[in-house]
């Protein structure tokens, strides 16, 4: 049996030029955000426990807890709102098609009976408010002509709804049943976020014109604005009130977060500026914020989540992050004596994870090229991307040294290092196999077939190349040349991955036809067959350090672990390991499997006998 | 395609007298009929049965599956298995596929039918799921 022991969750997906809206539940100290088709709920005090809801059929945009904390309403780009139970089975309470385009913001009424959703209505209604259990409309929302970026529900009676959007307007509706009351055109650019204070007396709207305007909560009249002195120098993307309704937190494209004090007359003054601890690049633009109890949470464009303490804003914030795009490769290596898991996604981000601690930092690379596959040994990382180069990067802690490229002529399909001689690397492209010693291309061998996967034995004496026809070609490495020794023909689909066992006595190969086979190195006979339990192509394969277990991960989202000495039918299956498919697998020790996939998360599973 | 008499007799023995755990049938191309290939004693297990099926050739088989239901009731169901591995010859697959219906009609009293194209589809779990 395998049980999930840790989840290194993904970061919220961000988009340049737009803010994102994260929300939370003060009672359980959790935050909720979306990435791809998943809705992620994380507890701020236990970042290793993240629960992920993956039932949306389209990309999810925003999610909110209900006021009583029992339900979550989440929305996606097709205009559907799903209301599901937060605990247990995530039972679906209701699903409504609310708008005809993407939904940008969603809020519950304070009694938990009504929900207002706003977004892009494609010419028809841009905002809809409905009862949570029946879906019946509770108002007419006209007054907007462009996408409505944010909406808010007044938290105290009499109920009011306020919406703001790309037409620079802030509209105020009274009800229920909600009707248009008045419109404010104070802003000169997109109004990104509008929020009521928790006591319901005021609401604030922030915009890309760098201004923040405060209005009266009951009438909708403007009462003041955030002072321009020491104000933001870039678009303000999100705003969040403190629980006592006296302060707000704003985040902006100028890479700072500011805490403002809202005075009685309705004007705001900067109380403190929080500079982000990053290096100041594009990725540090702040796009989302949340003020929850004592925590100030800010989210940057690069997916970094910083948590400051509101009572001690000078303390360095706790930062963590994750991948934002699907993870393509995973490796476990020792770094300065500590076991570290490295994962890379195709946009070139490599993140270090440390078991039981979680996020261990992002590897800062000097050139951010995209990565297709990588191999890691202690102190060095070799990556191959979508250009024709293979980069060798020396590692010191989480800094990368200068990467040195080697041009290999065409796009590398697979890359492997001889573990005992890290200088020797084997790169396979579509029609050739290239041997590298250090940064020198020592030989290029033309193959007569299309190669799809390759591997090199730990001691560098043998190499295996798998072809599109399912045949495995075994070569012996003699100095700088390859000599073909044998061809094994058992697979019925193109080979996707081949790996030697750590003790070099066996190797395992897997193909696109869902089958994996374990072979003995010396006799080249099949050692374990009938590993056919996947229902879609096998993407990755990993051996346990003692060469006793082998794990396969597939596009069908399952990870199956076989024991080499037992028949294939006695296997451990992990169903639904990663929504969208498992792309990376490695063993961190004898009993822990680490998997990574399309949902941008890394999970550690413990095998319990 | 004919069915030899002792096929029906062996099946009745399994069903009524419970002398066999499983019976494996094959098609004898020369005499153009279905004959009994192998029988297994009542004490044999499912693994013995799976081991008796050839890897590269098709067969028909009957297996007597004993299990205990949720209500703690001992039950026994007879499974008809059409074993047609994807690695076998196409001619064999076609032959067995077209004769299956004719053969099945002879065997009266089968509870469930399973079609298996590789060993993973013949897992004990599959039988257990079908029986419940």
């Amino acid at each position: 049996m395998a049980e999930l022991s840790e989840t290194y969750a993904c970061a919220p997906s961000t988009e340049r030029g737009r803010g994102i809206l994260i929300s939370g539940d003060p009672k359980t100290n959790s935050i909720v955000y979306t990435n791809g088709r998943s809705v992620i709920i994380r507890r701020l005090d236990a970042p290793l426990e993240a629960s992920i809801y993956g039932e949306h059929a389209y990309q999810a945009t925003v999610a909110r807890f209900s006021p009583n904390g029992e339900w979550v309403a989440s929305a996606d780009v097709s205009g559907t709102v799903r209301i599901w139970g937060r605990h247990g089975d995530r039972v679906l309470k209701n699903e409504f098609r609310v708008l005809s385009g993407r939904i940008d913001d969603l809020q519950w009424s304070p009694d938990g009976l009504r929900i207002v959703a706003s977004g892009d209505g494609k010419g028809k209604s841009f905002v809809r408010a409905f009862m949570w259990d029946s879906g019946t409309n509770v108002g007419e929302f006209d007054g907007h002509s462009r996408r409505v970026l944010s909406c808010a529900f007044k938290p105290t009676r009499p109920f009011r709804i306020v919406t703001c959007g790309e037409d620079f307007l802030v509209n105020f509706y009274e009800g229920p049943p909600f009707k248009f009351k008045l419109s404010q055109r104070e802003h000169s650019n997109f109004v990104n976020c509008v929020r009521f204070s928790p006591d319901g007396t005021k609401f604030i709207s922030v915009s890309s014109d760098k201004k923040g305007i405060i209005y009266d909560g009951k009438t909708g009249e403007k009462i003041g604005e955030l002072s321009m002195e020491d104000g933001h120098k870039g678009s303000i993307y999100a705003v969040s009130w403190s629980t006592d309704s006296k302060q707000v937190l704003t985040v902006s494209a100028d890479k700072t977060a500011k805490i403002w004090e809202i005075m009685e007359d309705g004007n705001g003054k900067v109380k403190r500026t929080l500079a982000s601890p990053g290096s100041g690049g594009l990725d540090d633009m702040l796009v989302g914020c949340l003020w929850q109890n004592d925590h100030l949470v800010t989210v940057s464009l690069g997916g970094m989540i910083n948590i400051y303490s509101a009572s001690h804003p000078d303390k360095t914030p706790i930062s963590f992050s994750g991948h934002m795009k699907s993870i393509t490769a995973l490796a476990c290596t020792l770094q300065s004596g500590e076991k570290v898991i490295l994962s890379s996604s195709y946009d070139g981000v490599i993140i270090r994870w440390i078991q039981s601690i979680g996020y261990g930092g992002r590897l800062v690379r000097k050139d951010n090229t995209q990565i297709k596959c990588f191999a890691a040994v202690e102190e060095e990382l070799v990556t191959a991307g979508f250009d024709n180069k293979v980069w060798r990067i020396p590692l010191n802690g989480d800094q990368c040294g200068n990467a040195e490229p080697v041009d290999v002529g065409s796009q590398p399909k697979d890359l492997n290092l001889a573990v005992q001689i890290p200088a020797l690397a084997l790169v396979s492209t579509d029609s050739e196999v290239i041997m590298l010693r250090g940064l020198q291309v020592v030989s290029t061998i033309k193959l007569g077939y299309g190669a799809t996967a390759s591997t090199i034995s730990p001691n560098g004496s043998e190499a295996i190349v798998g072809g599109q026809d399912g045949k495995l070609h075994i070569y012996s490495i003699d100095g700088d040349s390859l000599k073909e020794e044998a061809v094994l023909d058992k697979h019925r689909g193109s080979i996707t991955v081949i790996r030697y066992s750590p003790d070099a006595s066996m190797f395992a190969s897997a193909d696109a036809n869902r089958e994996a086979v374990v072979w003995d190195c010396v006799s080249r006979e099949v050692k374990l067959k009938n590993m056919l339990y996947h229902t879609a192509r096998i993407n990755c394969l990993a051996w346990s350090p003692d060469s006793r277990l082998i794990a396969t991960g597939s596009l069908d989202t399952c990870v199956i672990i076989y024991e080499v000495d037992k028949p294939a039918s006695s296997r451990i299956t992990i169903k639904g390991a990663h929504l969208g498919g498992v792309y990376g697998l490695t063993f961190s020790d004898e009993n822990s499997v680490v998997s990574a996939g399309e949902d941008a998360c890394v999970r550690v599973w413990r095998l319990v006998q | 395609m004919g069915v030899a008499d002792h096929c029906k007799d062996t099946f009745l023995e399994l069903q009524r007298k419970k002398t066999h755990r499983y019976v494996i049938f094959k098609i004898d191309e020369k005499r153009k009929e279905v004959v009994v290939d192998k029988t297994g004693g009542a004490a044999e297990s499912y693994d013995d049965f799976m081991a008796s099926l050839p890897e590269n050739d098709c067969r028909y088989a009957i297996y007597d599956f004993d299990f205990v239901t949720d209500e703690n009731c001992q039950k026994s169901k007879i499974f008809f298995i059409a074993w047609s591995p994807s690695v076998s010859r196409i001619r064999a697959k076609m032959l067995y596929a077209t004769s299956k219906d004719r053969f099945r009609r002879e065997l009266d009293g089968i509870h469930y039918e399973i079609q298996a194209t590789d060993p993973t589809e013949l897992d004990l779990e599959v039988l257990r799921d079908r029986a419940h």
Side-chain angles (χ1 to χ4, degrees):
Chain A
M1 279 294 100
E3 37 176 64
L4 179 62
S5 84
E6 290 168 40
T7 305
Y8 304 142
C10 45
S13 58
T14 57
E15 198 190 325
R16 174 122 190 240
R18 289 217 180 282
I20 64 161
L21 300 161
I22 59 176
S23 71
D25 181 20
K27 275 181 284 195
T28 52
N29 210 11
S30 338
I31 56 171
V32 62
Y33 54 84
T34 64
N35 181 314
R37 281 164 44 204
S38 332
V39 175
I40 297 110
I41 302 176
R42 279 181 100 143
R43 283 186 36 211
L44 289 178
D45 44 9
L48 286 180
E49 282 169 33
S51 49
I52 304 198
Y53 177 77
E55 303 291 322
H56 276 280
Y58 294 90
Q59 186 192 349
T61 48
V62 66
R64 275 204 190 263
F65 285 110
S66 68
N68 60 6
E70 287 303 306
W71 306 97
V72 180
S74 55
D76 61 22
V77 295
S78 70
T80 314
V81 173
R82 287 180 85 108
I83 303 166
W84 40 281
R86 186 242 186 104
H87 300 288
D89 267 343
R90 296 352 178 0
V91 89
L92 178 68
K93 167 99 170 142
N94 261 314
E95 182 178 6
F96 302 114
R97 183 84 193 283
V98 170
L99 295 178
S100 48
R102 71 178 282 154
I103 296 184
D104 287 310
D105 200 2
L106 179 86
Q107 194 152 33
W108 291 79
S109 66
D111 54 2
L113 293 177
R114 297 177 188 81
I115 298 180
V116 61
S118 71
D120 191 0
K122 293 201 187 27
K124 285 176 278 180
S125 62
F126 292 92
V127 183
R128 257 192 65 188
F130 54 96
M131 303 297 292
W132 83 301
D133 48 2
S134 59
T136 47
N137 270 349
V138 285
E140 291 276 311
F141 292 87
D142 40 6
H144 276 294
S145 53
R146 304 271 293 275
R147 187 163 154 187
V148 177
L149 294 170
S150 181
C151 57
F153 220 120
K154 183 161 176 287
T156 54
R157 282 180 197 275
F159 286 149
R160 303 276 182 266
I161 289 183
V162 81
T163 63
C164 68
E166 283 186 359
D167 46 9
F168 314 166
L169 296 175
V170 173
N171 284 353
F172 192 76
Y173 300 86
E174 284 186 334
F178 291 98
K179 274 200 302 290
F180 176 82
K181 172 86 187 300
L182 58 85
S183 175
Q184 299 277 13
R185 212 202 154 87
E186 298 285 332
H187 286 292
S188 48
N189 205 334
F190 292 177
V191 190
N192 288 314
C193 189
V194 68
R195 291 281 177 258
F196 269 98
S197 63
D199 61 0
T201 53
K202 303 188 251 310
F203 65 92
I204 184 170
S205 66
V206 290
S207 154
S208 294
D209 63 1
K210 311 175 198 142
K211 288 202 298 208
I213 308 214
I214 302 155
Y215 310 77
D216 180 83
K218 244 195 302 197
T219 59
E221 297 294 328
K222 170 177 172 183
I223 50 176
E225 57 181 70
L226 295 179
S227 118
M228 285 276 77
E229 175 195 324
D230 207 17
H232 279 296
K233 296 179 191 43
S235 312
I236 310 182
Y237 285 124
V239 66
S240 185
W241 287 85
S242 66
T243 21
D244 58 6
S245 305
K246 290 203 180 54
Q247 293 177 325
V248 286
L249 171 71
T250 57
V251 286
S252 153
D254 66 358
K255 304 167 195 143
T256 61
K258 291 190 195 285
I259 304 178
W260 307 75
E261 188 152 339
I262 308 291
M263 272 113 37
E264 288 311 318
D265 62 356
N267 280 317
K269 229 170 45 155
V270 177
K271 185 157 165 231
R272 165 161 233 109
T273 302
L274 302 165
S276 83
S279 51
L282 189 64
D283 276 347
D284 287 321
M285 278 196 192
L286 295 172
V287 291
C289 71
L290 182 69
W291 191 320
Q292 188 159 281
N293 301 337
D294 186 43
H295 301 284
L296 301 171
V297 183
T298 60
V299 181
S300 74
L301 187 65
M304 185 76 77
I305 301 178
N306 289 318
I307 307 179
Y308 298 85
S309 157
S311 39
H312 307 279
D314 285 327
K315 230 167 50 163
T316 18
I318 311 174
S319 310
F320 54 91
S321 177
H323 281 286
M324 286 196 296
K325 296 268 188 316
S326 99
I327 299 179
T328 50
L330 191 68
C332 184
T333 179
L334 282 174
Q335 233 182 14
S336 358
E338 209 180 53
K339 220 188 304 196
V340 153
I341 300 168
L342 295 169
S343 58
S344 80
S345 51
Y346 76 79
D347 53 358
V349 171
I350 307 178
I351 297 189
R352 280 168 76 223
W353 307 95
I354 303 172
Q355 246 181 310
S356 356
I357 298 178
Y359 181 67
R362 185 181 295 197
L363 286 181
V364 176
R365 290 163 67 214
K366 305 258 178 357
D367 330 78
N368 255 352
T369 49
Q370 291 175 322
I371 296 180
K372 184 175 191 285
C373 41
F374 78 97
V377 283
E378 197 164 334
E379 312 311 333
E380 197 179 26
L381 195 64
V382 184
T383 69
F386 294 101
D387 48 13
N388 296 346
K389 299 195 176 52
V390 169
W391 297 76
R392 271 191 189 269
I393 309 169
L395 295 174
N396 350 329
D398 61 346
Q399 294 295 329
C400 288
N402 281 320
E404 315 266 328
V406 177
D407 194 319
V408 292
S410 51
Q411 153 104 60
K413 284 256 174 93
D414 207 352
L415 169 71
N416 269 285
L417 289 176
V419 181
Q420 288 161 13
I421 324 173
L424 183 59
L426 193 75
V427 181
S428 69
T429 65
D430 199 31
S431 55
E432 308 177 321
V433 158
I434 296 134
M435 269 204 336
L436 296 174
R437 253 184 227 280
L439 287 166
Q440 298 284 85
V441 175
V442 294
S443 62
T444 309
I445 295 104
K446 273 209 181 336
L447 307 163
Y449 53 92
T452 45
S454 66
T455 191
I456 186 168
S457 67
N459 58 3
S461 62
E462 221 176 46
I464 310 178
V465 181
Q468 219 163 20
D469 49 6
K471 295 204 173 79
L472 292 167
H473 299 251
I474 305 183
Y475 297 88
S476 64
I477 296 180
D478 182 23
D480 287 343
S481 63
L482 292 178
K483 194 165 76 96
E484 181 162 318
E485 300 271 331
V487 177
L488 302 172
D489 187 7
K490 183 164 168 49
H491 284 282
R492 286 169 279 164
S494 65
I495 311 282
T496 51
V497 62
I498 318 172
R499 288 275 178 271
Y500 272 92
S501 63
D503 65 355
S505 65
M506 303 174 271
F507 64 89
S509 53
D511 63 21
N513 197 30
R514 322 175 316 263
E515 187 172 11
V517 181
V518 178
W519 309 79
D520 183 277
C521 263
V522 172
S523 65
R524 295 184 187 138
E525 295 283 313
V526 174
K527 200 149 176 201
L528 182 61
K529 56 182 176 168
N530 287 343
M531 299 161 73
L532 263 169
Y533 290 93
H534 279 295
T535 53
R537 68 175 279 144
I538 300 184
N539 282 328
C540 47
L541 198 129
W543 283 91
S544 64
D546 55 2
S547 305
R548 203 174 48 96
L549 301 170
I550 180 165
T552 55
S554 153
L555 191 61
D556 65 359
T557 75
C558 298
V559 173
I560 302 184
I561 298 142
Y562 302 92
E563 248 180 275
V564 179
D565 297 321
K566 292 213 190 130
S569 48
S570 66
R571 65 205 187 277
I572 302 175
T573 314
I574 303 173
K575 286 209 171 114
H578 291 274
L579 187 69
V582 180
Y583 284 103
L585 262 185
T586 184
F587 271 80
S588 64
D589 59 46
E590 313 299 336
N591 287 319
S592 311
V593 185
V594 185
S595 65
E598 167 106 11
D599 59 355
C601 297
V602 177
R603 290 195 169 89
V604 181
W605 309 86
R606 229 199 17 234
L607 300 172
V608 182
Q609 291 309 335
Chain B
M1 189 59 58
V3 179
D5 287 327
H6 68 280
C7 289
K8 184 95 196 245
D9 294 334
T10 330
F11 172 67
L12 288 171
E13 276 175 32
L14 182 148
Q15 191 184 30
R16 304 222 179 106
K17 289 187 264 178
K18 296 216 174 276
T19 38
H20 312 289
R21 170 66 55 197
Y22 60 87
V23 186
I24 299 182
F25 303 91
K26 79 173 195 190
I27 294 182
D28 190 338
E29 296 206 25
K30 273 190 269 45
R31 285 188 289 167
K32 287 208 185 308
E33 58 176 13
V34 182
V35 295
V36 173
D37 182 33
K38 184 173 191 281
T39 62
E44 294 198 34
S45 74
Y46 192 69
D47 293 321
D48 294 326
F49 166 62
M50 279 189 47
S52 324
L53 287 173
E55 226 181 82
N56 297 329
D57 199 11
C58 308
R59 290 285 183 270
Y60 300 124
I62 321 191
Y63 187 82
D64 191 7
F65 182 52
D66 285 330
F67 62 100
V68 184
T69 61
D70 298 326
E71 289 104 36
N72 238 348
C73 185
Q74 184 80 18
K75 277 200 180 176
S76 167
K77 297 277 187 200
I78 300 183
F79 279 80
F80 176 80
I81 294 157
W83 168 246
S84 244
S86 34
V87 287
S88 59
R89 286 166 49 239
I90 298 215
R91 221 186 122 65
K93 284 188 241 182
M94 276 176 56
L95 196 60
Y96 276 79
T98 46
S99 323
K100 187 190 73 163
D101 231 9
R102 166 86 181 75
F103 179 54
R104 250 205 80 166
R105 245 175 283 133
E106 293 289 317
L107 310 176
D108 196 15
I110 294 176
H111 297 114
Y112 301 107
E113 180 180 330
I114 289 186
Q115 191 191 58
T117 58
D118 63 46
T120 59
E121 295 184 11
L122 264 190
D123 222 23
L124 199 56
E125 292 298 315
V126 176
L127 264 75
R128 214 170 276 147
D129 283 332
R130 283 293 288 275
H132 287 286

